[in-house]
């Protein structure tokens, strides 16, 4: 049997709307280096409403934002201001500490609009956890788009089917999007750890059906094929197995003591501010 777990998401409130949180799960903390997986939307906002995530901190990880529809305006404490459009990859490396906000431009917020996408976090190898924070943005046109067994694929991170994404990685990492029509089948790439999330539609992996908004975690090193039972959009994530990490609120680290220090630093306002977004912030949970 290729499938180890099937995970159903939990609903979480996030800055004006709810998301489906898949990872971490009690049965599976990480898939390769991926420790966090949120599915945002699809949601429709009336004029005057929208995503509004105030400045908040991260350490020892990298965030990866990818949109199917809509737009998010990213700002961070390094001074970066960047609109994220569908098909782009927004990679923010927290390293020893960064602050960022996720909001919308007034031009977007002032009319009816939609948002749909994924946000993932991946851990940094222990040797890179305290690296200098950094920010990388990759436009959709620069990411490989190709077909495998007639299935349309976009390689967001890593290497698969002889194709390599230009997005920076810190460990053996896979992040792949597939659009499938009913009846299509393709073989998943080989990966030490791998999982498949169904953003829309339904699929079958080997002989097991996976419904919309579910993630199938495969056995380590398993070979498997994906078959579309109806039109489907899926995300494939994976990579090399990583040692356990501690996670609390927005902080992920190999050290509990490092997380405690980060909590103290945020509560004392010792993290850097976000230029252009200095007035607000999300308090440390339990500190108010």
């Amino acid at each position: 049997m290729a499938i180890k777990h099937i995970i159903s998401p939990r609903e979480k409130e996030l800055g004006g709307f709810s998301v489906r949180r898949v990872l971490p799960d009690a049965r599976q903390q990480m898939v390769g280096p991926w420790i966090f997986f949120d599915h945002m939307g699809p949601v429709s906002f009336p004029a005057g409403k929208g995503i509004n995530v105030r400045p908040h901190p991260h350490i020892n990880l990298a965030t990866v934002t990818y949109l199917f529809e809509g737009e998010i305006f990213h700002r961070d404490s390094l001074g970066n201001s960047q609109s994220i459009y569908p098909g782009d990859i927004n990679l923010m490396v927290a390293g020893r500490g960064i602050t960022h906000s996720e909001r919308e431009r007034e031009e977007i917020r002032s009319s009816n609009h939609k948002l749909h996408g994924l946000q993932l976090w991946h851990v940094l190898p222990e040797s890179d956890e305290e690296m200098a924070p950094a920010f990388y943005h990759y436009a959709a046109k620069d990411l490989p788009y190709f077909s495998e067994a007639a299935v349309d694929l976009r390689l967001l991170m890593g290497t698969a089917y002889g194709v390599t994404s230009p997005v920076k990685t810190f460990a053996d990492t896979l992040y792949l999007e597939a659009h499938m029509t009913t009846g299509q089948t393709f073989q998943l790439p080989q990966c030490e750890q791998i999982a498949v999330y169904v953003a829309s539609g339904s699929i079958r992996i080997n002989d097991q059906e996976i419904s919309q908004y579910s993630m199938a975690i495969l056995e380590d090193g398993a070979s498997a094929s994906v078959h579309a039972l109806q039109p489907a959009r899926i995300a494939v994530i994976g990579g090399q197995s990583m040692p356990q990490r501690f996670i609390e609120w927005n902080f992920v680290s190999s050290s509990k003591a490092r997380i405690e220090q980060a909590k103290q630093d945020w509560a004392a306002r010792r993290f850097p501010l976000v230029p252009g977004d200095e007035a607000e912030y999300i308090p440390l949970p339990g500190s108010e």
Side-chain angles (χ1 to χ4, degrees):
M1 189 67 177
I3 295 176
K4 181 180 178 183
H5 302 301
I6 296 178
I7 297 174
S8 298
R10 295 107 51 211
E11 294 283 335
K12 294 286 184 179
E13 180 64 25
L14 179 69
F17 68 106
S18 63
V19 299
R20 298 176 187 85
R21 183 153 300 163
V22 184
L23 294 176
D25 182 78
R27 293 170 295 170
Q28 187 86 26
Q29 184 190 46
M30 290 185 283
V31 179
W34 301 105
I35 196 168
F36 181 95
F37 189 111
D38 265 5
H39 182 186
M40 307 176 286
V43 59
S44 297
F45 294 113
K49 300 291 185 179
I51 183 170
N52 192 31
V53 182
R54 294 168 290 162
H56 58 281
H58 293 288
I59 62 164
N60 293 185
L61 58 81
T63 66
V64 180
T65 304
Y66 181 73
L67 298 182
F68 302 144
E69 186 175 14
E71 180 184 326
I72 293 176
F73 188 60
H74 163 98
R75 285 193 183 102
D76 64 45
S77 51
L78 299 177
N80 297 295
S81 299
Q82 176 68 55
S83 290
I84 310 170
Y85 302 106
D88 295 351
I89 280 282
N90 190 94
L91 172 65
M92 186 187 73
V93 183
R96 59 176 174 258
I98 200 168
T99 310
H100 77 133
S101 63
E102 295 158 301
R103 303 190 190 258
E104 291 172 340
R105 294 185 299 117
E106 186 54 38
E107 299 93 312
I108 301 297
R109 198 176 184 85
S110 61
S111 59
N112 296 342
H113 59 285
K114 297 180 179 181
L115 183 71
H116 190 198
L118 305 174
Q119 188 176 82
L120 283 66
W121 301 351
H122 74 71
V123 303
L124 296 174
E126 289 185 46
S127 59
D128 292 325
E129 282 185 320
E130 295 296 322
M131 69 183 296
F135 174 81
Y136 305 91
H137 185 81
Y138 301 85
K141 65 180 178 60
D142 296 324
L143 300 174
Y145 190 78
F146 60 101
S147 295
E148 175 68 22
V151 174
D152 290 333
L153 304 177
R154 188 187 298 273
L155 185 60
L156 306 179
M157 298 177 71
T159 297
Y161 310 108
V163 178
T164 298
S165 166
V167 177
K168 186 174 179 62
T169 58
F170 299 89
D172 182 14
T173 304
L174 176 66
Y175 188 7
L176 178 76
E177 179 190 21
H179 293 262
M180 305 183 71
T181 59
T182 302
Q184 284 190 318
T185 301
F186 79 105
Q187 189 77 14
L188 290 173
Q190 281 297 121
C191 213
E192 183 180 352
Q193 294 188 332
I194 196 166
V196 179
Y197 177 74
V198 184
S200 64
S202 65
I203 62 172
R204 188 172 64 233
I205 296 180
N206 291 353
D207 294 320
Q208 191 159 354
E209 183 173 345
I210 314 298
S211 60
Q212 182 170 263
Y213 306 145
S214 296
M215 176 177 280
I217 312 288
L218 275 62
E219 297 282 358
D220 289 3
S223 295
S225 61
V226 177
H227 177 79
L229 299 173
Q230 55 183 276
R233 181 177 213 157
I234 66 173
V236 181
I237 63 170
Q240 69 187 76
S241 175
M242 303 288 278
Q244 181 187 14
R245 291 296 192 271
F246 302 103
I247 181 168
E248 185 172 349
W249 191 41
N250 295 316
F251 302 131
V252 171
S253 180
S254 61
S255 165
K256 283 186 177 181
R258 181 67 182 89
I259 289 179
E260 289 303 313
Q261 182 62 58
K263 289 165 59 179
Q264 294 173 28
D265 289 343
W266 184 249
R269 308 299 289 129
R270 288 192 289 264
F271 270 78
L273 298 177
V274 176
D277 201 350
E278 300 96 340
E280 295 184 303
Y281 67 96
I282 301 177
L284 183 72
S287 65
E288 292 183 300

